[in-house]
Amino acid sequence: MDMAREYCLDDFLPLTHRIMHLAFQGLLRVDFLHEASKILLEFAECDSVEMWLRERGKFYRSELTSSARQSFHYEIMPCKTDAHGKAVPELTSGSVFERICRDVFIGKFDPALPFFTKAGSFWTGNAEKAMASLPEKERVSGSASGDNHADYSSLAVIPISVERENIGLLHLKSAGPGSFSEEEINFFE
């Protein structure tokens, strides 16, 4: 059963205004990410919102879950410099899903695979099936068991771009299957 919400462009305008309003308040990075995550969690009606942001040669990761206490986690991620001198996240767990997130960030994806959009976002309403359908070479070098997506059926990883450069990613997670639609992902892009 498809449980994805129906969206229209008018739904995203207030979301954009709320987040831009936060950005201009001069909040500390951790406070901005926490407040923006609350807005996104409510808007997307999902169980967890994770964001990765690159700024001044560092990577910041935050995650807010919709548990009773809305747990919030914030960290500076290990990173390395790519061939163009830009910081890219360094894989720590070696998990399949961690590599997918990194690849979405750097723009490395196969648009022929059904769970990638033309703009490079990854999304699925059945995470186990999506991971199993990856090419063998993608699955053998890492384990899905160490992934922090194990409790979620629906996953969306959307690059955050400014002037055609990815500066981060938005990762939406939902325990229910079929929680996101391609149309919704396109709006977030």
Side-chain angles (χ1 to χ4, degrees), residues 139-184:
R139 287 184 278 134
V140 295
S141 60
S143 157
S145 63
D147 287 340
N148 64 353
H149 80 281
D151 296 332
Y152 304 104
S153 293
S154 296
L155 302 167
V157 181
I158 304 155
I160 300 171
S161 300
V162 174
E163 297 179 359
R164 297 188 181 146
E165 180 182 349
N166 289 350
I167 62 162
L169 63 82
L170 172 63
H171 183 186
L172 306 174
K173 307 172 195 177
S174 185
S179 296
F180 310 118
S181 69
E182 186 170 9
E183 179 184 42
E184 179 180 2

